[in-house]
């Protein structure tokens, strides 16, 4: 069983009850989608709308169990405590976290509802995999309701060092909530160290090698970097209609132009403003000219009821307008800005079209867009400019790594990537593709579930997907 804030359906699909598996945007649902669609499981989550969700059908082998949220609960739990307190704090406080006492009560009550929903439908001795910062109290609550369950918790976003976590007014409850799990997984090893330090400091726990002993139990911890369905993205980007669409995009953007591409949720952690400033300065200094270079910025709307996200959108749209006003020419904007969701095939076509993929978050748990770009580049070309502060940087060291806070460094790196020789690009891309071939979403789920259930029972139930190693090896032009 998976328990996550969102069901893997977007609002439209959920509202009309269509029996269609439509992925909601965001890394978490994308990651779990390909594993679960063929494995018998129940997914407990919010359908995205207000009030009681519609009756949802079983999708493939996944039974959907919606959790209803009222509009006040969305405000206090989702927009408030999860996305205005925890989200900014866990992302290095790149935006000031907001602490509002009444949000805590709603967060706790909604976590209790998720725990009760899971307890109600879980079979005896079932394995329940709780996801992300929205549901940090659920492991403890669920253990109290159902001590027979095997409980896993995975944090998709960064887990901060004690200096930041200690700011949280309800830090003890939050920490204790996670430690209700049998295994707490993170994207990076550093996050597991942070948890151990905090457990010692706040709960007087004893810690060992990837273990926290507290309250007479031993909780295991570890790093399990999440990934993507590499074979799916590789196959998609090679599909004739996607290749044709990429050709059309290239024609529309200008056959001889160098194309920079960014694809983000419109979120202040993604570094979009820093990137636009760097690009404006490159245009101003004449290092980049509108006649031969263009930036495509896809920024899918996200969390639009949260004020800081609305403000960010206004600032970004103002800056894109200023840059286009100042540097664009008739029929030739400096930046194409697309504030829309795209389907997977359209994204794959965009990835194929880019000369330089610019992924420069200020902090990111992983960043699956970077991995999707690599998986889509069967031609072995294309440069990836990647922030050192994305979890993906630890796995893709042959990308053009950059500190997005260092504007001069960012500008220089963008120019290096734009001017790199094909042989250099091929060598870099080939190393990244080799890594991804062995570290796809299936490998992630297998590693986590094997660690959770050391009998191997759970991992055996994962679908046998196509072998991405073979797929990528076949298409790699090395
Ligand atoms: P996060 O989890 O913070 O959203 P990730 O980069 O890990 O960031 O995951 C983002 C996911 O959302 C990727 O799978 C990406 O393909 C998808 N996505 C990004 N932009 C769009 C868009 N405009 N339309 C649809 N999906 C998108
Ligand atoms: O990766 C972090 C995360 O919050 C995921 O839980 C989610 O898939 C994604 O970002 C999108 O966020 P939201 O569900 O708030 O639209």
């Amino acid at each position: 069983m998976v328990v996550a804030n969102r069901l893997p359906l977007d609002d439209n699909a959920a509202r009309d009850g269509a029996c269609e598996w439509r992925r909601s945007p965001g890394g978490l649902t994308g990651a779990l989608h390909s594993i679960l669609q063929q494995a018998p499981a129940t997914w407990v989550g919010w359908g995205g709308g207000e009030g009681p969700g519609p009756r949802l059908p079983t999708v493939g082998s996944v039974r959907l169990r919606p959790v209803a949220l009222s509009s006040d609960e969305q405000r206090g739990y989702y927009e408030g405590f999860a996305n205005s307190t925890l989200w900014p704090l866990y992302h290095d406080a790149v935006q000031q976290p907001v602490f509002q006492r009444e949000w805590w009560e709603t967060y706790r009550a909604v976590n209790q509802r998720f725990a009760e929903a899971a307890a109600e439908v879980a079979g005896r001795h079932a394995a329940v995999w709780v996801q992300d910062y929205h549901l940090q109290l659920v492991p403890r609550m669920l253990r109290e309701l159902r001590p027979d369950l095997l409980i896993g918790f995975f944090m998709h976003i960064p887990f901060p060092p004690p200096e930041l976590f200690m700011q949280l007014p309800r830090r003890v409850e939050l920490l204790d909530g996670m430690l209700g799990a049998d295994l707490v997984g993170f994207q990076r090893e550093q996050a597991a160290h942070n948890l151990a330090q905090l457990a010692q400091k706040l709960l007087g726990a004893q810690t060992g090698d990837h273990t926290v002993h507290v309250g007479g139990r031993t909780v295991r911890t570890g790093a399990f970097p999440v990934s993507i369905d590499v074979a799916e993205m590789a196959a998609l980007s090679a599909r004739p209609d996607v290749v044709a669409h990429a050709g059309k995009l290239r024609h529309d953007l200008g056959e001889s132009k160098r194309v920079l591409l960014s694809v983000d949720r419109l979120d202040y952690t993604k570094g979009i403003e820093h990137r636009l400033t760097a690009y404006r300065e490159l245009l101003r200094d004449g290092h980049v000219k509108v006649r031969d270079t263009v930036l495509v910025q896809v920024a899918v709307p996200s969390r639009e009821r949260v004020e800081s996200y609305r403000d960010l959108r206004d600032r970004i749209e103002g800056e894109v307008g200023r840059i286009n006003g100042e540097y664009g020419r008739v029929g030739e904007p400096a930046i194409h800005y697309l504030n829309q969701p795209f389907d997977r095939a359209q994204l794959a076509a965009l990835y194929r079209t880019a000369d330089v993929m610019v992924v420069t978050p200020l902090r990111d748990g992983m960043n699956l867009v970077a991995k999707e770009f690599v998986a889509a580049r069967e031609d072995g070309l294309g440069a990836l400019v990647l922030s050192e502060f994305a979890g993906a940087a630890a796995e893709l060291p042959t990308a053009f790594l950059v500190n997005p806070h260092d504007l001069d460094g960012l500008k220089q790196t963008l120019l290096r990537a734009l001017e790199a020789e094909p042989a250099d690009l091929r060598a870099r891309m080939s190393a990244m593709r080799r890594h991804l071939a062995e570290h796809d979403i299936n490998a992630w789920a297998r590693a986590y579930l094997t660690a959770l259930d050391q009998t191997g029972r759970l991992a055996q139930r994962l679908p046998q997907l196509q072998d991405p190693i073979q797929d990528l090896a076949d298409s790699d032009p090395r």
Side-chain angles (χ1 to χ4, degrees), residues 5-6 25-30 78 83 87 132-134 156-157 265 302-303:
N5 171 55
R6 264 186 204 284
L28 187 156
T29 45
Y78 172 74
N83 285 319
W87 178 269
D132 233 354
Y133 62 104
H134 314 89
H156 289 255
I157 69 172
R265 262 186 320 100
S302 183
R303 305 176 189 165

Side-chain angles (χ1 to χ4, degrees), residues 23-28 30 87 228 233 263-265 267 269-270 298-301 303 338 340-344 347 351 364 366-370 372:
R23 202 183 277 193
S24 18
L28 187 156
W87 178 269
I228 59 161
M233 181 48 80
V263 175
D264 309 276
R265 262 186 320 100
D267 192 299
T269 60
K270 302 292 181 183
V298 176
V300 65
R303 305 176 189 165
L338 300 156
Q340 310 155 28
F342 288 103
D343 66 29
R344 310 291 303 156
L347 284 176
Y351 294 144
D364 209 330
M366 176 51 62
N367 198 288
L368 296 181
V369 165
E372 288 169 358

